Amino acid sequence: MADPVLAAEDGGDIELLVRARRRLRDLVVQLEVAPFADRTARSMRAYLDEDAAPAQAAFARWAALPKAARDTLAARMRQEQP
């Protein structure tokens, strides 16, 4: 198994988590505005089919890191957000 610290710190996991978080924020807006619309259902299914599993794995690697490393990476993620 790959070293979770290296996997998280190489930036790939950070990028994946930032992208997943943005997409989830978009889904939350859709759920608030049009919870029963076909577009909302398609968006939720697409997220689950395309991004949920990789984001969950990246989050598991992040959660396995020591607290100091998580804090550093969380600060980096906040900097990358628009």
Side-chain angles (χ1 to χ4, degrees):
M1 181 174 158
D3 183 348
V5 174
L6 295 176
E9 289 181 346
D10 75 358
D13 279 354
I14 301 301
E15 181 179 322
L16 195 150
L17 291 170
V18 168
R19 189 174 56 245
R21 187 173 178 168
R22 285 184 191 137
R23 192 159 180 195
L24 287 170
R25 273 190 264 166
D26 291 343
L27 283 173
V28 168
V29 170
Q30 288 180 33
L31 286 167
E32 288 177 354
V33 173
F36 305 108
D38 288 338
R39 178 178 181 260
T40 302
R42 284 192 308 271
S43 294
M44 290 187 331
R45 283 189 194 101
Y47 174 77
L48 292 171
D49 291 344
E50 299 163 10
D51 294 334
Q56 185 177 22
F59 182 78
R61 287 187 294 272
W62 179 82
L65 295 172
K67 183 178 180 335
R70 287 194 316 263
D71 290 346
T72 299
L73 293 172
R76 190 185 325 167
M77 283 193 297
R78 284 190 295 272
Q79 290 173 349
E80 293 180 15
Q81 291 181 0

